[in-house]
């Protein structure tokens, strides 16, 4: 039924005690099925930089991410799921029974694996992973670090109770920015940040030391087959209602002339209109509005560095975010960002002076901010340099991976 495959902060973070042996940590991470999964990519880059932890990872399916975990020298266990995380297990009573049975089976399996491997700390990477493991971990009194990688635009009373209960099952909750910590505390507790809640910024591996030159941008465009002289604006995300590509097409599509002549919006991310209803609806909306080459669907791209280099701007017009992965990856390559007021956008873009933030849902304001920036090269150059500087300060792989390892050690002591 299961197969095992093995390969050879409070806001103040804790000091490492180098005389102690490495803590034994279990990471539970469920995969969304999207190639452009920012949360899973952030976790993967994190564990690839661990140096002081014995790590064992559990997920539900074999992918390129699990191969990277093994190449980093970590143990990986595959526990299959009969349904998609966050999706429906099936219709009616049978679906409910299947989901309850699977949660029970996973919790017991994780408790067994934790006991067998003498796990000292568990790290759950998303809410679905929490409910599939927390009760089994509580049976063994294993402290749990809960990584929260998203925010919710609003919480109903029942959702608030559920989230508070989830917090109560864990020893430490780690979010991705100071603003994100404040938003969660306001949503759940109407109070200041509790002592159990930390924030650690995400990792960006590929970071520049200087803004890209015109020659570098042109070379990247040539490699990708993009127009050399166009104004290229990127919308980087897998296609889903949360990422709001359809709303952008319907609301901003008729306004795209505001970007100026020769401008194109490039959607980069999982786009499968043959099999995915949401992708197909976006394509139909594009055709209905006769957007032509002003909007292009570029699909998933594994080598994103060239794409960020080729783009003049990146837009974040999603429903909600924790710390948008496309935003920090773009800044690391010197590409400025214009964003709706989603979590962490003001903390990064306004404080770092590397982009603009407009009110959520203000598509005209989003395009107007992009138009002004595209027409003003000094602004773009200043934002580019500031973004690179901020990226090197906040998104260091070594420092941020060490921050998680310090927290593991504190929880295991």
């Amino acid at each position: 039924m299961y197969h095992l495959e093995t390969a050879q902060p409070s806001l103040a973070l804790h000091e490492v005690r180098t005389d102690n042996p490495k803590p034994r940590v279990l990471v539970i991470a469920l995969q969304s099925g999207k190639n452009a999964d920012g949360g899973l990519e952030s976790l993967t880059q994190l564990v690839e930089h661990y140096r002081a932890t014995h790590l064992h990872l559990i997920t539900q399916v074999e992918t390129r991410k699990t191969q990277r975990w093994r190449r980093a020298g970590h143990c990986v266990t595959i526990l299959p799921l009969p349904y998609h995380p966050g999706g429906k297990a099936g219709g009616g009573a049978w679906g409910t029974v299947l989901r309850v049975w699977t949660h029970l089976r996973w919790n017991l399996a994780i408790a067994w694996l934790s006991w067998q491997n003498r796990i000292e700390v568990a790290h759950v990477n998303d809410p679905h992973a929490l409910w599939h493991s927390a009760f089994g971990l509580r049976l063994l009194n294993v402290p749990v670090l809960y990584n929260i990688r998203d925010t919710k635009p609003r919480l109903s009373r029942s959702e608030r109770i559920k989230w508070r209960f989830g917090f109560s099952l864990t020893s430490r909750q780690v979010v991705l920015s100071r603003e994100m910590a404040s938003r969660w505390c306001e949503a759940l507790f109407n109070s200041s940040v509790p002592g159990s809640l930390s924030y650690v910024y995400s990792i960006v591996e590929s970071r520049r030391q200087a803004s890209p030159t015109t020659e570098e941008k042109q070379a990247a465009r040539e490699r990708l087959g993009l127009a050399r002289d166009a104004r290229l604006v990127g919308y980087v995300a897998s296609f889903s209602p949360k990422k709001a590509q359809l709303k952008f097409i319907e609301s901003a599509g008729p306004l795209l002339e505001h970007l100026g002549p020769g401008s194109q919006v490039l959607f980069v991310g999982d786009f499968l209109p043959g099999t995915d209803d949401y992708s197909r609806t976006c394509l139909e909306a594009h055709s209905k509005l006769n957007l032509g080459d002003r909007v292009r669907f570029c699909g998933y791209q594994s080598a994103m560095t060239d794409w960020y280099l080729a783009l003049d701007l990146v837009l974040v017009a999603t429903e909600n975010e924790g710390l948008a992965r496309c935003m920090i990856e773009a800044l690391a390559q010197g590409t400025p960002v214009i964003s709706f007021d989603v979590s962490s956008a003001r903390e990064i873009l306004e404080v770092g002076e590397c982009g603009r933030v407009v009110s959520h849902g203000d598509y005209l304001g989003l395009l107007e901010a992009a138009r002004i920036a595209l027409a003003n090269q000094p602004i773009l150059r200043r934002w580019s340099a500031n973004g690179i500087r901020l990226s090197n300060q906040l998104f260091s792989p070594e420092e941020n991976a060490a921050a998680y390892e310090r927290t593991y050690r504190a929880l295991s002591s």
Side-chain angles (χ1 to χ4, degrees), residues 149 242 266 304 352:
R149 298 187 177 276
K242 178 199 162 186
L266 307 182
M304 282 301 301

Side-chain angles (χ1 to χ4, degrees), residues 77-349:
T77 296
I78 307 297
L79 299 180
L81 277 179
Y83 50 77
H84 192 281
K88 295 180 179 179
W94 166 243
T96 301
V97 170
L98 177 61
R99 187 175 293 276
V100 170
W101 164 244
T102 303
H103 277 70
L104 175 63
R105 187 176 65 128
W106 259 66
N107 274 276
L108 292 175
I110 286 172
W112 167 253
L113 285 168
S114 298
W115 176 81
Q116 189 178 47
N117 290 281
R118 295 177 286 119
I119 294 299
E120 299 172 83
V121 178
H123 175 162
V124 294
N125 193 54
D126 56 80
H128 301 299
L130 176 72
W131 302 119
H132 283 80
S133 63
F135 300 102
L137 294 166
R138 284 293 291 263
L139 286 174
L140 300 181
N141 202 31
V142 174
V144 176
L145 183 156
Y146 183 16
N147 227 159
I148 304 170
R149 298 187 177 276
D150 204 354
T151 58
K152 299 288 184 181
R154 63 193 65 85
L155 290 175
S156 65
R157 184 173 181 273
S158 61
E159 288 174 324
R160 190 175 294 110
I161 291 171
K162 181 179 178 179
W163 275 94
R164 285 177 177 172
F165 181 55
F167 270 49
S168 73
L169 292 173
T170 61
S171 306
R172 182 69 57 84
Q173 304 87 39
V174 180
V175 295
L176 306 179
S177 73
R178 182 173 60 251
E179 182 182 337
M180 193 177 170
S182 297
R183 289 199 182 200
W184 270 112
C185 289
E186 182 180 350
L188 292 180
F189 308 111
N190 296 317
S191 66
S192 59
V193 178
S196 63
L197 184 64
S198 310
Y199 72 89
V200 180
Y201 293 111
S202 296
I203 284 172
V204 180
E205 285 185 317
S206 177
R207 293 166 295 139
R208 299 177 61 88
Q209 297 303 314
S211 298
T213 64
T214 301
E215 291 73 22
E216 286 180 296
K217 293 186 76 69
Q218 294 296 343
R221 291 184 177 194
E222 287 185 5
R223 288 191 293 270
L224 298 173
L226 301 175
R228 289 175 57 89
D229 299 324
R231 295 175 172 182
L232 300 183
V233 178
Y235 197 123
V236 183
S238 59
F239 274 72
S240 71
K242 178 199 162 186
K243 297 303 183 181
Q245 289 93 343
L246 180 60
K247 283 188 177 181
F248 181 88
I249 292 169
E250 294 177 337
S251 301
L255 308 172
L256 288 180
E257 60 187 27
H258 281 271
L259 289 176
S263 298
Q264 287 185 316
V265 175
L266 307 182
F267 285 106
V268 183
D270 301 70
F271 178 67
L272 302 168
T275 57
D276 175 60
D277 289 342
Y278 185 79
S279 298
R280 184 163 52 254
T281 303
C282 290
L283 183 59
E284 291 168 353
H286 172 273
S287 300
K288 182 179 180 180
L289 291 170
N290 295 314
L291 297 179
D293 288 340
R294 284 179 292 171
V295 173
R296 286 183 54 190
F297 300 98
C298 301
Y300 171 73
Q301 304 292 327
S302 59
M304 282 301 301
T305 298
D306 268 356
W307 283 88
Y308 289 121
L309 284 176
L311 296 171
D312 295 300
L313 282 174
V314 165
L315 300 181
V316 178
T318 52
E319 287 294 309
N320 53 278
E321 294 288 346
L323 174 64
R325 179 111 205 135
C326 68
M327 178 172 67
I328 64 175
E329 288 180 340
L331 296 179
Q333 296 304 321
T335 306
V337 177
I338 309 289
S339 177
F340 280 168
D341 187 15
V342 293
S343 175
S344 309
R346 294 196 184 277
E347 179 177 343
I348 300 300
L349 300 179

